[in-house]
Amino acid sequence: MQDDDQPLDDVLVAVFPAPHSYTGENVVEIHCHGGLALASAVQELALKAGARLARAGEFTERAVRNGKMDLLEAEALSAILAADGPDELESARASRRLAPLLRSLSGRARDALAGAMGALDYPLEVGDQPVDWRAEAAALATELERLLASPALEGAFREGVVVALLGPPNAGKSSLFNALVGEERALIDAEPGTTRDAQPCALLLGGRRFTIVDTAGIRAAHGIEARAVARSLEISRTANLLIWVEDISAPPSEPPVSVELRVLAKSDLAPHASRVAAGWSSSALRVSALSGEGISELRQALQARAPNAMAVLSARQKRLLEEAARSLSRMSDTADDLAAEHLARAQQALASLAGMDGGVIDASEIYSRLCVGK
Amino acid sequence: MVVGLGHAGAEAALAASRLGSRVAAVTQEPSRACLMSCNPAIGAPGKSQLVREIDALGAGMAEAADESALQIRLLNRSKGPAGWATRLQVDRLAYARAMQRRLAAAASIEVIRGDVSRLRTAGAGASSRVAGVELEDGSAIEAGAVVLTTGTFLSARMHVGRAQSVGGRAGDRSSEGLSVQLRELGVQTGRFKTGTPPRLDGSSIDWSRCEEQPSEAGVGPLSMRTEARAFPRLPQRSTYVTRTNPATHAVVMAALGASPLTTGAITGRGPRYCPSLEQKVLSYPEKPGHVVYLEPDGLGTEQVYPAGLSTSLPADAQLKFLRTISGLEHVELVQPGYAVEYDYLKAGQLSVWLELKALAGLFCAGQINGSSGYEEAAGQGLVAGVNAVRLTRGAAAWVPAPEESYLGVLCHDLTRRSFEEPYRVLPTRAEHRLTLREDNASLRMVPHGLALGLIDEHAARPVLRLGSQIEERLARLSAAEMRWLQHPLRRVEEACGPSAPLQGLEAALAQAIFVAARYAPYEEQRRVARERLLAAADLEIPEQIDPRRIPGLSSEARDALERARPKRIREAAALPGVSPEAISILAVYLRRLEQLRVVSRGTTD
C-alpha cells in the first residue's frame, strides 16, 4: 500500500465475494503489519479514499439484512461478542443454542392457533374431527411457565450473577460491600439506616461476572426509609444469591426470606469464637471489612454457590415470554372467540421472540392440518 | 348495464336501481336468475356477517333467504357472540323466485334475454372507457358503466369423468367472446376449478339409517327488514347426517384413473375448503370416513343435496360409491356431480372499488374476481353496482373499510392480494373479527347505507336509535360495572337480574349492550395497535434491505416490495399485494434492526 508515492506497508488482502462473506456483501479484508501507528495509517488511507468507519454492530446488522443470519442468532451473537469472561461466553453460546427451542415454541403456538381458527371458521366441516387446541395451548403454557421459572434463565445476562446483601440496619453491609468490590463505593456512616438506595457494582470473580447489590437495612421503618426497605425485599426476589449480613456484636436476627449464605460482620469486634453467643449459626462466615478476615473466603463461597448460568434471556426475550405466558393463562374460562384472541397474542409474542413475524395466520395454514370442507 | 344475473349481478342491478339509475340486465335465461348452483344455503362464519352487512345496505339476499328458509341453525353457538353465524338452508326455487320478484318489482331494471358477445369501448389507450355491450343477435346496448358478473361461465368447461362439455352450469352455456376480448385488452386471466356433488332422489334414501338434525328454534332472521314473528315462513325440514366409509373410499380409489383431476384434464385450482371426495380420499388416507350432510333442495321436490360429496368421477362410479354409504344403499341419481373450470381475472388488475384498471367504467364482481360463494358474489355485486352509478354521476368511488366490515375485507383482499384458490370470507381473514359481528352488522352499515342513498330514513331510523341507546347506556356504566359485565362466565340473564347493571332493559337492548361491553377492551386494543402501525408510516426502509430475506413475509409481498422498492412504510402500504400484515411485519423488522444496533453498540464485530 502506498500513500501517494510513499510506500506504507506490504499487506495481505483477502477478498470475500458476495454472498460468501460474513455480511453477505462483497468484503475486502486488509491485513497489515505490526503496531498501532501503521494500522492507523492504513485506516487513514482507506478513509481518505472514501471509506467510513463501521458503526458498532453494523457488520452483524448487514448480515441480518442480507439474510446471512436471523435476528435471534444475531442477538445471541452480539452477546457472545460482548462476553467479558469465559462463563459469560458459555452462557451466550447457550443462548444461541436456545434459538431452536424458541422457534419450536412459536411453531406449536401457531399449530394451536390454526386449530382454534379452523374450528371457528369451519364449524360444520370440523365438527367430526375436533382438534384439541385448548389442550395444546395448555401444554404450551406449562412449558413456558417452566422455562420462565428455571433458574438457568434467571437474572439478566448482562448483570451476571446478582448477589444481594441483606440484613438489619447498621450490620455492616456497606463496609462489606466496599471490601468485596475493593473500592469506596457505598456511603458509609455510623448512623444506622444510611443506605437507602441499592447500589449495584460489577465484580469479576474467577472469570465470571457478579453484580453485588447493597441494600437498605431491613427493619420497621417509616417514610422514605420504609420504601427503601420494601425495595430491598424486592431486590431479594430478583437476585440469584442472597447474603444475610448481621453484626457479630448485636443480638441474633432472622432473615425474612431464605438466604444462600449468612455472614457475621465486624468480626474484629469479637476476635474469639467463645464470645459468639450460643445459637448463632455455626455455618455463618466471620468477616471483617476492617481486618480483611473472611473476605477472600466469602469470594470463594460466592463462586461456589453461584448457579451455573446457562442460557440467559435478554430482557426483551423475557418480556415476550412472559407476555405469551400471560396471554395463554387468560384463555381458561373464556369462550372460544376470546380464547382464540388470547392465543393469537401469545403466538404473536412467541413468533417475535423467535425472530419471525408474528400474529397473522394465513387461512391456508389451517388446511394443512385439517380436512375441511364439503 | 349488468351482464349476468347471478347473485352478484342481481345485487348490482338492485343497488343501481335503488340509487335511481336505469339498469339493463342481460342474462341467458331470466327464469334461471339467482339459481343456487351448489349448496342451497346462505350463511357460515364470515358469510353470515357479510350478508347482514349488505342487508343494511339494502341488498335482497338476506330477505330472500329468510323468505325461503327450510332449516335454521346458529353455528358456533357455544363459542361466544363474535363466533356466532346464522345459517339458513333454503328452498332453492323459492329463493330464486324471491330474488326474481325483487328484480321484477324494480321499475328501473329491464331484464334482457341474450348473450353478450363483446364490450363496446370508446377512446383509446389510457383514456379508453367502456361504452356498452353487443349481443350475439347483433343488437347493441349503450351504457355509461358495465358490471360484468360472468360467474363460472367465462370459457367454462364442465367435467364428468373423462367427458368434457362446454358450459358453466348443468344446462347452461359458456361465454367465449368476452374471454377473448378481455385478453385483447391485456387483462391476465387464470383458471379456477369448482365442483358440485351429485343430486340424489330423496325417495330412494333410507332416512332411518341417518342421524336427524332438526331446524333450531329461537334463531332470528338474517334481514333487519324481516319481522321476527313472521320467521320462518315455510315449514321446516331436517337435515340428515351420514358418513363415507372404507368401502366408499375403495370405490373412489379404483375409479381415480378416470377422474379428470388425475388424467390432467383439469388444470385449474379448486378451493381447498371445498375439496372433492377424490381429493379428500387422496389427501387424508388415514381417515376412515368423512361426514356427509343430506340437505333438502326444496319443499316441492324430492331432490337432495349431499354436502361433502363433490366429485367429478364418471357417473357410474358416483352411483357405485354412493351406494356404499349408510342410508344410500338404494339411492338413485337425479344428476351426477361435476367439476367446472372457468376464467378469472388475476389479482392486481382491479381497483379496490372493483373497476378494471385497463378499461374505465368496466366493473367486475363475483367468481370472475376469483371469489367463491353466493354471499361473496352478492357483496361484490353491491359494491360494483354502487360504484358504477357513482362513476356515471362523477361522484368519488365508495370503498368499504376492512376495519369496519367483512365487505371491506372482501374487496381489499380480492384486489390487493392474490390467492391460489377461489376466495371465501372467513373470520381468520378479518383482523377485527371480534368487532365484525352479526349482532352489530346493521349498526355498522346503516349509516353508510343512508349516506349512499341505498336505504331511506324510515328504514334507518330504528337502527340508528338502537345504536345511540347502546352508546348512551355503555357510557353510563361505571368501570366496576363494565368489569362485572366482562367476566368471562357472565350470562346476559344475570346482567338483567335485580340490581344488576342492565336491570329493567328490554331484552334486545340488554343483549346488545352486554355483547358490546364484552368486546369493548379488545376493540380498544385493536384501535391502539392500529394507531401504532400508523405511527410507523414514516419509518424509512433502508435501501440495502432485501425484502426476499425478511422472514415471514408472503412471497407475494416480497415480490411487490422487490419490484417497487418503497422508501417508507407509507409507500409500501399502498402497494397491491402488500397486506396490512406484511406492513406490520416490515415495521417490526425495521424496529428490531434498530434495536439490534443499539444492543450491539460498543461491540466490534
Side-chain angles (χ1 to χ4, degrees):
Chain A
M1 289 194 96
Q2 41 188 42
D3 191 358
D4 289 331
D5 294 333
Q6 197 179 348
L8 204 58
D9 188 14
D10 285 326
V11 298
L12 175 69
V13 174
V15 177
F16 300 83
H20 305 291
S21 70
Y22 179 79
T23 61
E25 297 163 4
N26 286 321
V27 168
V28 175
E29 283 182 5
I30 302 171
H31 299 249
C32 57
H33 283 102
L36 200 57
L38 202 51
S40 307
V42 169
Q43 182 177 301
E44 276 307 308
L45 193 57
L47 293 179
K48 218 162 80 184
R52 69 165 172 81
L53 288 176
R55 292 186 304 270
E58 188 173 356
F59 285 92
T60 302
E61 182 192 326
R62 287 185 183 211
V64 172
R65 280 184 184 169
N66 295 324
K68 294 291 283 190
M69 66 176 75
D70 67 20
L71 278 171
L72 199 63
E73 239 183 303
E75 211 166 43
L77 192 69
S78 76
I80 289 176
L81 294 169
D84 288 335
D87 280 4
E88 202 170 325
L89 183 61
E90 181 44 46
S91 62
R93 287 199 176 118
S95 293
R96 200 174 182 185
R97 288 196 294 271
L98 200 61
L101 170 68
L102 296 178
R103 262 187 228 111
S104 104
L105 290 175
S106 163
R108 284 171 57 187
R110 216 173 169 85
D111 282 352
L113 182 58
M117 289 314 298
L120 277 168
D121 281 358
Y122 302 100
L124 287 178
E125 297 86 338
V126 173
D128 70 329
Q129 43 175 359
V131 172
D132 198 350
W133 53 274
R134 278 181 182 269
E136 284 180 38
L140 190 63
T142 311
E143 190 143 335
L144 291 188
E145 298 293 348
R146 197 180 55 74
L147 199 61
L148 278 168
S150 77
L153 294 181
E154 270 304 320
F157 171 66
R158 299 202 153 267
E159 294 175 355
V161 182
V162 178
V163 181
L165 304 178
L166 295 175
N170 208 24
K173 293 182 297 297
S174 298
S175 304
L176 180 60
F177 175 83
N178 288 341
L180 267 178
V181 303
E183 55 182 296
E184 294 281 315
R185 278 292 303 267
L187 182 63
I188 310 164
D189 201 301
E191 176 75 20
T194 311
T195 306
R196 282 190 296 269
D197 276 317
Q199 316 258 337
C201 191
L203 180 64
L204 216 53
L205 292 177
R208 161 177 274 182
R209 189 201 282 255
F210 286 79
T211 297
I212 316 289
V213 188
D214 189 12
T215 66
I218 294 170
R219 64 164 180 195
H222 306 283
I224 188 168
E225 226 188 285
R227 281 202 296 278
V229 168
R231 236 183 105 193
S232 297
L233 289 171
E234 177 63 35
I235 288 166
S236 75
R237 271 193 287 280
T238 55
N240 306 82
L241 269 181
L242 296 182
I243 305 179
W244 185 249
V245 183
E246 48 195 325
D247 185 342
I248 198 164
S249 61
S253 57
E254 271 310 307
V257 290
S258 83
V259 298
E260 277 77 19
L261 212 56
R262 299 181 68 150
V263 302
L264 300 173
K266 306 181 187 171
S267 64
D268 48 288
L269 296 179
H272 308 293
S274 59
R275 287 183 58 186
V276 174
W280 283 23
S281 168
S282 56
S283 65
L285 199 62
R286 291 166 55 100
V287 298
S288 166
L290 202 65
S291 69
E293 182 193 356
I295 298 296
S296 66
E297 286 86 347
L298 180 57
R299 287 185 167 162
Q300 277 164 19
L302 287 181
Q303 286 182 54
R305 287 171 203 238
N308 274 327
M310 287 301 294
V312 185
L313 296 179
S314 73
R316 185 191 70 87
Q317 291 173 322
K318 194 166 176 207
R319 181 178 55 73
L320 286 168
L321 260 192
E322 283 166 350
E323 196 179 306
R326 202 166 45 240
S327 293
L328 290 176
S329 74
R330 288 193 181 136
M331 283 175 60
S332 52
D333 287 345
T334 57
D336 288 4
D337 58 347
L338 292 180
E341 188 72 9
H342 293 303
L343 182 53
R345 298 234 173 110
Q347 194 268 331
Q348 197 155 14
L350 288 173
S352 113
L353 183 59
M356 302 184 278
D357 58 60
V360 191
I361 190 152
D362 197 286
S364 63
E365 283 184 41
I366 291 167
Y367 316 114
S368 60
R369 303 192 72 220
L370 297 170
C371 168
V372 292
K374 335 208 276 163
Chain B
M1 172 83 220
V2 174
V3 180
L5 269 182
H7 308 283
E11 297 294 2
L14 287 172
S17 122
R18 277 194 304 275
L19 294 179
S21 281
R22 278 187 60 223
V23 184
V26 182
T27 177
Q28 289 176 354
E29 177 50 62
S31 68
R32 293 172 70 80
C34 291
L35 266 187
M36 296 174 145
S37 315
C38 198
N39 200 344
I42 296 290
K47 292 173 182 260
S48 313
Q49 290 91 324
L50 176 57
V51 173
R52 285 188 193 272
E53 287 165 8
I54 59 172
D55 180 63
L57 298 172
M61 176 168 266
E63 274 183 290
D66 287 340
E67 280 174 36
S68 53
L70 282 183
Q71 203 222 23
I72 305 162
R73 288 189 69 191
L74 181 64
L75 305 177
N76 284 341
R77 189 187 280 272
S78 66
K79 297 178 188 168
W84 290 352
T86 306
R87 182 178 188 267
L88 304 182
Q89 275 175 41
V90 301
D91 181 308
R92 212 160 76 96
L93 279 178
Y95 179 87
R97 283 200 203 102
M99 285 302 292
Q100 288 166 15
R101 258 202 319 279
R102 282 172 171 73
L103 290 167
S108 63
I109 299 177
E110 189 187 348
V111 176
I112 297 163
R113 183 192 305 268
D115 273 304
V116 170
S117 56
R118 276 192 76 75
L119 298 166
R120 282 199 161 178
T121 60
S127 65
S128 70
R129 58 179 179 81
V130 79
V133 300
E134 288 170 17
L135 303 187
E136 249 157 34
D137 64 8
S139 59
I141 304 167
E142 297 289 313
V146 173
V147 180
L148 208 53
T149 69
T150 52
T152 60
F153 289 51
L154 212 54
S155 295
R157 297 286 177 281
M158 289 177 31
H159 301 262
V160 182
R162 289 182 192 278
Q164 276 186 41
S165 54
V166 174
R169 178 170 57 196
D172 289 308
R173 296 184 300 275
S174 162
S175 354
E176 301 290 322
L178 280 175
S179 242
V180 173
Q181 194 186 4
L182 285 174
R183 277 195 285 268
E184 282 168 7
L185 281 168
V187 169
Q188 291 191 318
T189 57
R191 293 293 269 176
F192 271 161
K193 179 220 105 170
T194 188
T196 195
R199 304 302 194 274
L200 313 180
D201 179 355
S203 64
S204 62
I205 295 175
D206 182 356
W207 301 104
S208 67
R209 296 178 55 83
C210 308
E211 178 198 330
E212 182 174 1
Q213 204 170 62
S215 183
E216 291 174 15
V219 181
L222 275 176
S223 173
M224 65 182 203
R225 290 179 289 277
T226 302
E227 282 225 37
R229 280 174 298 145
F231 176 78
R233 188 181 290 186
L234 302 182
Q236 296 297 287
R237 288 283 183 269
S238 293
T239 287
Y240 290 83
V241 185
T242 182
R243 300 181 68 84
T244 63
N245 55 56
T248 321
H249 301 175
V251 177
V252 171
M253 288 301 279
L256 270 182
S259 163
L261 292 174
T262 49
T263 58
I266 291 183
T267 53
R269 278 286 280 274
R272 248 180 300 190
Y273 46 79
C274 219
S276 62
L277 184 59
E278 296 93 295
Q279 284 166 319
K280 287 199 263 193
V281 169
L282 279 172
S283 307
Y284 302 92
E286 73 285 359
K287 282 190 64 102
H290 298 275
V291 70
V292 177
Y293 296 93
L294 301 173
E295 302 178 345
D297 228 9
L299 285 176
T301 172
E302 284 284 352
Q303 189 164 307
V304 166
Y305 176 96
L309 294 180
S310 173
T311 178
S312 51
L313 289 175
D316 57 335
Q318 292 187 24
L319 190 61
K320 204 170 159 196
F321 82 63
L322 282 167
R323 288 184 171 172
T324 63
I325 297 171
S326 176
L328 305 184
E329 289 84 351
H330 306 288
V331 79
E332 294 296 343
L333 276 186
V334 178
Q335 174 199 304
Y338 58 89
V340 187
E341 271 192 298
Y342 57 96
D343 277 359
Y344 74 96
L345 308 183
K346 287 189 172 170
Q349 304 179 91
L350 291 176
S351 61
V352 69
W353 55 89
L354 306 183
E355 186 180 3
L356 194 70
K357 290 173 186 169
L359 185 61
L362 182 63
F363 294 80
C364 299
Q367 279 163 306
I368 187 174
N369 292 349
S371 69
S372 80
Y374 313 134
E375 301 87 343
E376 289 84 346
Q380 292 168 65
L382 182 133
V383 171
V386 166
N387 284 316
V389 171
R390 292 178 72 82
L391 178 82
T392 60
R393 293 177 184 171
W398 175 67
V399 178
E403 304 83 44
E404 206 174 24
S405 61
Y406 274 94
L407 188 60
V409 172
L410 172 72
C411 292
H412 281 77
D413 275 356
L414 279 177
T415 57
R416 312 229 1 218
R417 305 180 58 181
S418 72
F419 294 88
E420 288 174 350
E421 58 185 344
Y423 176 95
R424 169 175 170 177
V425 291
L426 294 167
T428 304
R429 304 196 199 275
E431 192 193 343
H432 298 264
R433 57 182 171 265
L434 292 180
T435 315
L436 307 185
R437 305 182 302 269
E438 273 199 71
D439 68 80
N440 64 6
S442 58
L443 295 172
R444 287 184 274 120
M445 299 314 275
V446 155
H448 295 293
L450 196 58
L452 290 166
L454 289 168
I455 55 170
D456 58 29
E457 205 132 335
H458 174 74
R461 204 173 297 130
V463 178
L464 295 175
R465 193 187 309 126
L466 178 69
S468 57
Q469 279 175 323
I470 294 171
E471 269 177 36
E472 228 169 77
R473 194 77 197 189
L474 272 178
R476 287 217 313 259
L477 289 172
S478 70
E481 285 175 317
M482 277 297 257
R483 272 197 304 280
W484 187 87
L485 284 172
Q486 285 160 358
H487 189 278
L489 300 178
R490 191 75 59 217
R491 288 173 303 116
V492 67
E493 293 79 11
E494 288 172 76
C496 297
S499 68
L502 306 183
Q503 184 194 2
L505 288 184
E506 183 232 331
L509 182 60
Q511 170 70 20
I513 295 168
F514 182 72
V515 174
R518 176 183 162 92
Y519 296 103
Y522 299 90
E523 290 173 22
E524 176 62 15
Q525 282 162 6
R526 290 283 184 190
R527 196 185 56 73
V528 170
R530 196 176 156 66
E531 277 174 7
R532 204 178 312 145
L533 202 61
L534 282 178
D538 284 323
L539 268 189
E540 214 174 304
I541 307 173
E543 222 170 285
Q544 313 92 297
I545 284 192
D546 181 352
R548 285 166 306 182
R549 306 270 192 179
I550 299 177
L553 272 188
S554 68
S555 54
E556 189 193 353
R558 282 173 201 196
D559 289 349
L561 292 173
E562 178 71 18
R563 268 197 310 275
R565 283 278 166 192
K567 294 204 167 41
R568 286 181 194 283
I569 291 263
R570 181 191 307 286
E571 294 164 29
L575 297 173
V578 180
S579 61
E581 298 90 84
I583 287 301
S584 80
I585 289 164
L586 192 60
V588 167
Y589 185 80
L590 294 177
R591 291 210 167 110
R592 290 281 319 273
L593 272 183
E594 187 60 37
Q595 269 173 13
L596 180 74
R597 218 161 53 208
V598 173
V599 166
S600 49
R601 193 155 286 158
T603 307
T604 41
D605 26 12

